[in-house]
């Protein structure tokens, strides 16, 4: 029982982080119908920005609220800027081209980032994994029994940050003018432009938002697993993408539910069966969902001409 | 403005392509060649010209096992520099071409093929990870090009054929060493095993450890697994914790082991971790922090060894690259020196004669122990057990075969 509870906590901790990354996929897909495969790698770059910031601040980064805030701010703003540049120079020129072109470009950017960051020149971090500085000093927040179940402060903090970011996003999309513009662009960006919505700006802002969110998620992930490497974006990105598809891509709460389900499924498979089964079960679950509900758990099926 | 964006994109793509290329023939490959040509310029400028002997190395310079390949490359480079300074092999200078396998077997096979068919090297050194060496060995054996792996310990590597050698001990021995140490020195009764299911090395070690440890009267509490590249091991560790073991055997690589140690402490496992030579990297201390302190692993050599030959190697290595050489650097150095000695003895530089010369290696004084190749082309050597301390390792004991 205690073990089950511990697995539940671990699975939720992993799931909330997948959720934040999945939201980025879902937002960009919702607005542009583009699967931004570089999303996970943008997250990775954000993690390294946070890493560099934490080292630049030094000891004060650890434990102090201002230090942590600075690490998150630099990473999230830096990534937002990078998201803007990627959209401006890689995706916007291809917007009127067949959708496949942008998809291939996204994969290209993904590889350029994840392999470029393995080079060991100048500011690039090199291929070896590194230990992420403990910016939140790990302490046991809740202990049940003889350490049968342990909840850590960073698990709670991550969960709260993640939930906060999700609620904020939900409000942004459904409660603000910008959100309305986003939804309008997602409906049909040409018609939206005719109605006086600055589509380019809305799309650019969506990219910045999703990239900033990815950086935040990446930092939470790095705090959780303590190790960062240039290939982390590929792993996490793929998982988050699966989560977004399970939930119904383009659907905000769907992405969150999909991610939580995926996090829990993975944790239980590894805990009770074997880690070898983890990816097989995760992707098997994806296939099952797509067979039964092709639009994902929450999505609608839109007939599309191929 | 409309034209600018695609142009920038194209420039980016070219840049990316250029970077990609640069990672493949590494600086050391060029440095080695340049050093050789600097002393004895060859008119054609081809590295495989008549006055140069070209060797090849395939190693992980990027990816999860990057420090392995880089350490090995440094060790090899040092040996080649020394040999060239001492006059080379029968008047010819040595050069090396290094390709990156990105820590992946498929890339390793491709790189080996390239060394054989395009560069026409006389022999191949590499890799560290057994899964990669296995992929390379197939190609080297088929082409009749001798290959020496500095530190692949999986039994099957040299079983690929009579052109494949190694200068390190094999996994059954390493598994035995840790089982013996756990049972007799640490007096552990019940040990859990956490193995990397994606690595031949890890599966092999855990199999031997399990068998030997049970034979010696110990009990295996549970066997859990992870996959290379994972960063969250809490589920497995939670399951292990339930069995209340006295120790955990984690025969994996440093990049994962460091994180495993942290998370093991986090879920409340305070028992020592034990492992093999895959732990040996300075990165282990960074990734594992204080959590990894007090753990043990079997290794090929200890930098504490007072032997003047070892101390000279360490001093030279420090001068060239900074930092204390790990076992992989030492084995890379040994492998290159065994190769150079064999090239000196070989009748000519054809595959079969170089092969025969390597096979005759006997009582070769390496920095990681004396190398004598048995009829299965494996080195028979003793192993050391090291304890992980605060930022460095500490010699504990030597265990003989």
């Amino acid at each position: 029982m205690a073990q089950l509870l511990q697995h539940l906590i671990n699975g939720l901790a992993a799931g909330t982080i997948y959720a934040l990354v999945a939201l980025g996929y879902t937002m960009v897909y919702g607005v542009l119908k583009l699967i931004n495969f570089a999303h996970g790698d943008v997250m990775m770059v954000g993690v390294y920005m946070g890493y560099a910031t934490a080292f630049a601040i030094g000891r004060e980064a650890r434990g102090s609220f201002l230090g942590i805030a600075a690490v998150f701010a630099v990473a999230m703003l830096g990534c937002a800027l990078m998201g803007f540049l990627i959209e401006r120079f890689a995706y916007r020129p291809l917007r009127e081209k067949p959708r496949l072109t942008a998809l291939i470009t996204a994969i290209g950017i993904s590889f350029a980032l994840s392999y470029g960051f393995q080079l060991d020149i100048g500011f690039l971090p090199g291929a070896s994994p590194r230990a992420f500085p403990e910016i939140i000093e790990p302490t046991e927040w809740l202990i049940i029994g003889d350490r049968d179940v342990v909840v850590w402060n960073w698990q709670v903090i991550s969960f709260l940050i993640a939930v906060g970011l999700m609620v904020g996003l939900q409000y942004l999309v459904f409660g603000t003018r910008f959100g309305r513009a986003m939804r309008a662009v997602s409906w049909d960006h040409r018609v939206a432009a005719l109605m006086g919505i600055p589509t380019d700006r809305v799309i650019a802002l969506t990219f910045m938002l999703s990239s900033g969110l990815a950086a935040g998620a990446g930092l939470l992930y790095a705090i959780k697993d303590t190790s960062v490497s240039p290939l982390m974006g590929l792993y996490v990105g793929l998982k988050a993408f699966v989560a977004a598809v399970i939930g119904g891509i383009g659907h905000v709460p769907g992405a969150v539910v999909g991610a939580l389900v995926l996090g829990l499924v993975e944790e239980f498979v590894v805990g009770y069966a074997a880690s070898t089964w983890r990816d097989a079960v995760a992707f098997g679950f994806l296939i099952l969902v797509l067979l039964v509900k092709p639009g994902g758990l929450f999505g609608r099926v839109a007939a599309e001409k191929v | 403005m409309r034209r600018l964006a695609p142009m920038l994109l194209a420039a980016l793509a070219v840049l990316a392509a250029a970077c990609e290329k640069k990672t493949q023939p590494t600086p050391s490959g060029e440095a080695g060649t340049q050093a050789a040509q600097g002393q004895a310029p060859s008119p054609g400028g081809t590295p495989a010209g008549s006055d140069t002997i070209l060797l090849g190395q395939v190693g992980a310079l990027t990816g999860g096992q990057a420090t392995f390949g880089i350490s090995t490359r440094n060790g090899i480079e040092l040996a080649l520099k020394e040999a060239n300074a001492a006059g080379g092999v029968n008047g010819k200078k040595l050069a090396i071409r290094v390709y990156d396998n990105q820590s992946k077997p498929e890339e390793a096979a491709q790189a080996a093929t390239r060394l054989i068919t395009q560069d026409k090297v006389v022999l191949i050194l590499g890799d560290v990870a057994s899964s990669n060496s296995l992929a390379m060995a197939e190609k080297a054996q088929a082409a009749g090009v001798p290959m020496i792996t500095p530190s692949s310990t999986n039994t099957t590597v040299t079983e690929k054929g009579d052109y494949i050698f190694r200068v390190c001990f094999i996994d059954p021995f390493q598994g035995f060493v840790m089982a013996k140490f756990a049972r007799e020195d640490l007096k552990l009764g019940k040990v859990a095993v956490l193995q990397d299911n994606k690595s031949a090395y890890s599966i092999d070690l855990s199999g031997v450890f399990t068998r030997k440890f049970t034979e010696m009267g110990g009990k295996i509490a549970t066997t859990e697994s992870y996959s290379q590249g994972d960063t969250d091991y809490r589920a497995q560790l939670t399951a292990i914790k339930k069995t209340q073991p006295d120790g955990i055997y984690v025969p994996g690589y440093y990049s994962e082991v460091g994180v495993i140690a942290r998370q093991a402490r986090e879920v409340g496992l305070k028992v020592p971790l034990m492992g093999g030579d895959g732990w040996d990297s300075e990165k282990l201390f960074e990734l594992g922090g204080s959590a990894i302190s007090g753990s043990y692993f079997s290794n090929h050599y200890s930098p504490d060894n007072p032997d003047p030959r070892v101390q000279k190697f360490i001093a030279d290595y420090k001068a060239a690259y900074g930092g204390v050489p790990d076992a992989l650097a030492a084995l890379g150095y040994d492998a290159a020196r065994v190769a150079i000695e064999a090239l000196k003895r070989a009748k000519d530089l054809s595959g079969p004669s170089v092969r025969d010369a390597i096979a005759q290696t006997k009582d070769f004084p390496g920095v990681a122990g004396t190398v004598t190749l048995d009829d299965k082309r494996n080195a028979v050597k003793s192993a050391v057990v090291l304890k992980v301390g605060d930022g460095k390792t500490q010699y504990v004991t030597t265990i003989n075969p």
Side-chain angles (χ1 to χ4, degrees):
Chain A
M1 185 60 208
Q3 200 187 349
L4 178 81
L5 201 59
Q6 185 70 60
H7 282 316
L8 204 66
I9 293 165
N10 295 346
L12 279 179
T16 38
I17 294 171
Y18 285 157
L20 284 178
V21 186
L23 283 176
Y25 277 107
T26 266
M27 266 161 60
V28 168
Y29 183 82
V31 169
L32 264 186
K33 299 280 173 291
L34 165 71
I35 307 280
N36 181 15
F37 271 117
H39 191 64
D41 302 285
V42 170
M43 178 201 89
M44 178 272 296
V45 176
V47 172
Y48 275 102
M49 286 177 183
Y51 178 89
T53 316
F55 267 94
I57 304 176
R59 287 189 153 277
E60 291 75 38
R62 189 175 164 146
S64 87
F65 178 76
L66 270 179
I68 299 170
V71 168
F72 270 83
V74 170
M76 292 176 80
L77 291 175
C79 262
L81 179 68
M82 194 168 80
F84 172 79
L85 290 175
I86 290 177
E87 194 277 328
R88 178 69 191 79
F89 293 111
Y91 298 144
R92 193 182 297 179
L94 302 171
R95 198 171 296 157
E96 301 305 324
K97 299 274 185 328
R99 214 170 280 159
L100 195 61
T101 322
L103 188 74
I104 294 167
T105 309
I107 295 174
I109 292 173
S110 161
F111 283 142
L113 288 176
S114 56
Y115 286 93
F117 262 62
Q118 292 195 38
L119 299 177
D120 211 348
I121 40 170
F123 66 94
L124 297 171
S128 280
R130 297 190 175 195
F132 194 78
E134 285 173 343
I135 54 174
I136 299 178
E137 191 159 357
T139 34
E140 290 155 6
W141 184 74
L142 178 73
I143 304 169
I144 302 175
D146 181 23
R147 295 185 55 91
D148 289 331
V149 180
V150 181
V151 180
W152 289 74
N153 60 340
W154 56 261
Q155 285 176 325
V156 179
I157 295 172
S158 300
F159 189 78
L160 291 180
I161 294 180
V163 170
L165 286 170
M166 284 173 217
V167 171
L169 187 69
Q170 186 71 7
Y171 171 74
L172 188 87
V173 173
F174 291 100
T176 62
R177 270 172 68 89
F178 171 66
R180 199 187 303 163
M182 252 171 98
R183 283 178 286 144
V185 172
S186 118
W187 196 257
D188 188 323
H189 73 90
R190 284 191 204 85
V191 177
L194 290 177
M195 299 299 148
I197 294 172
T199 49
D200 277 352
R201 204 185 302 158
V202 170
I203 291 171
L205 274 170
T206 307
F207 261 92
M208 292 173 73
L209 204 62
S210 88
S211 303
L213 210 57
L219 287 176
L220 295 177
Y221 189 80
I223 290 168
K224 172 169 94 79
D225 286 357
T226 67
S227 148
V228 297
S229 77
L231 288 178
M232 67 187 289
L234 289 178
Y235 297 113
V236 184
L238 190 63
K239 288 292 161 54
F241 170 64
V242 169
V245 176
I246 288 177
I249 193 148
H251 193 276
V252 171
V256 177
V257 173
L260 291 179
V261 168
L262 188 71
L264 286 170
V265 165
E266 282 194 2
E267 177 78 16
F268 285 130
V269 169
V270 177
Y272 291 114
S275 77
T276 340
W277 294 19
R278 187 189 56 186
D279 291 355
V281 171
F283 288 104
F285 186 63
L286 171 73
I287 293 169
L288 191 74
V289 168
L290 291 182
L291 281 176
V292 179
K293 254 181 118 355
L297 292 176
F298 293 82
R300 278 178 316 235
V301 184
E304 195 171 334
K305 204 161 64 177
V306 179
Chain B
M1 194 56 199
R2 198 161 267 206
R3 290 256 171 79
L4 185 67
M7 270 167 62
L8 258 171
L9 195 67
L12 206 70
V14 170
L15 198 74
C19 292
E20 196 81 43
K21 247 180 211 151
K22 235 188 248 163
T23 48
Q24 300 222 321
T26 65
S28 110
E30 280 149 35
T33 314
Q34 273 161 14
Q37 287 176 349
Q39 281 162 355
S42 62
T46 52
S50 57
D51 49 1
T52 327
I53 299 176
L54 187 65
L55 312 181
Q57 185 206 336
V58 180
L61 305 173
T62 57
Q65 303 145 6
T67 73
F68 289 171
I70 293 166
S71 283
T72 309
R73 183 192 70 196
N74 292 349
I76 293 175
E77 207 175 58
L78 202 61
L80 290 189
K81 257 189 225 156
E82 277 174 18
N84 280 335
V89 171
N90 304 331
K92 292 182 180 177
K93 295 291 171 191
L94 293 160
I96 187 153
R97 181 138 307 160
V98 187
Y99 290 131
D100 178 16
N101 63 28
Q102 298 170 18
S103 310
K104 292 180 209 155
E106 59 273 21
E107 295 287 337
Q110 206 173 23
T113 307
R114 205 163 145 194
L115 284 174
I116 294 162
T117 56
Q118 281 178 27
D119 303 320
K120 304 204 186 315
V121 296
V122 298
L123 68 85
I124 299 176
L125 299 166
D127 181 43
V128 174
S130 297
S131 307
N132 299 337
S133 289
L134 280 168
M136 289 163 60
E138 211 149 88
K139 305 288 175 194
Q141 179 66 28
V145 174
M147 166 178 148
I148 306 177
T149 161
S151 34
S152 282
T153 44
N154 186 289
T155 341
T156 52
V157 174
T158 47
E159 285 167 5
K160 282 281 171 192
D162 58 348
Y163 277 82
I164 317 299
F165 300 87
R166 77 176 110 219
V167 297
C168 54
F169 48 63
I170 52 176
D171 283 338
F173 176 58
Q174 221 185 160
F176 157 78
V177 164
M178 222 358 122
K180 189 169 179 220
F181 179 75
R183 198 74 193 109
E184 290 175 6
D185 294 61
L186 297 179
K187 310 225 180 300
L188 303 183
K190 194 164 72 168
V191 171
V193 176
L194 181 56
Q195 67 181 22
D196 175 354
N197 257 354
K198 264 194 197 165
S199 132
Y201 163 79
S202 187
I203 294 169
D204 210 9
L205 271 189
S206 98
V208 178
F209 178 87
T210 303
R211 206 170 58 240
K212 295 285 175 192
F213 192 71
T214 335
E215 274 173 23
M216 291 177 205
K219 192 170 169 287
I220 299 295
T222 175
T223 302
E224 296 286 326
S225 60
Y226 63 92
S227 305
Q228 213 172 85
D230 286 358
T231 48
D232 191 338
Y233 310 93
R234 292 182 179 86
Q236 295 95 318
L237 291 166
T238 305
I240 286 178
K241 189 185 153 199
K242 215 183 118 197
T243 67
Q244 297 181 313
D246 306 325
I248 310 171
Y249 188 55
V250 194
Y253 295 130
Y254 67 93
S255 41
E256 280 91 20
V257 169
V259 182
I260 288 174
R262 276 184 199 246
Q263 294 179 4
R265 304 302 173 232
E266 185 196 291
V267 303
L269 282 160
K270 296 218 158 57
V271 296
L273 305 186
M274 296 168 286
D277 58 336
W279 284 29
D280 191 29
S281 166
E282 289 202 324
K283 284 268 164 194
L284 181 73
F285 310 118
E286 184 199 322
L287 291 168
S290 59
I292 194 79
S293 287
S295 296
Y296 301 90
F297 67 100
S298 53
N299 204 1
H300 305 271
Y301 107 124
S302 158
D304 298 340
N305 189 338
D307 186 328
R309 220 173 41 226
V310 176
Q311 290 307 323
K312 181 184 177 302
F313 165 69
I314 292 173
D316 290 347
Y317 189 94
K318 268 188 189 159
Y321 308 104
V324 180
D326 51 20
L328 304 175
L331 287 167
Y333 180 76
D334 281 358
R337 284 180 58 228
V338 164
I340 294 164
E341 286 305 313
L343 287 173
K344 281 183 187 163
R345 288 195 314 265
K347 284 200 303 287
D348 51 65
L349 295 179
S350 68
S353 4
V354 174
R355 192 216 82 86
D356 291 344
I358 300 172
Q360 283 154 15
T361 303
K362 199 165 179 281
D363 298 328
F364 182 83
V367 291
T370 310
V371 180
T372 297
L373 293 174
D374 65 9
D375 55 350
K376 285 179 179 147
R377 298 167 302 282
N378 297 323
V380 183
K381 296 158 92 173
S382 54
V384 294
V385 174
L386 303 178
K387 183 176 184 175
V388 184
D390 195 18
K392 63 181 176 50
T393 56
Q394 194 189 343
Y395 170 81
V396 181
T397 179
T398 302
I399 294 182
N400 292 310

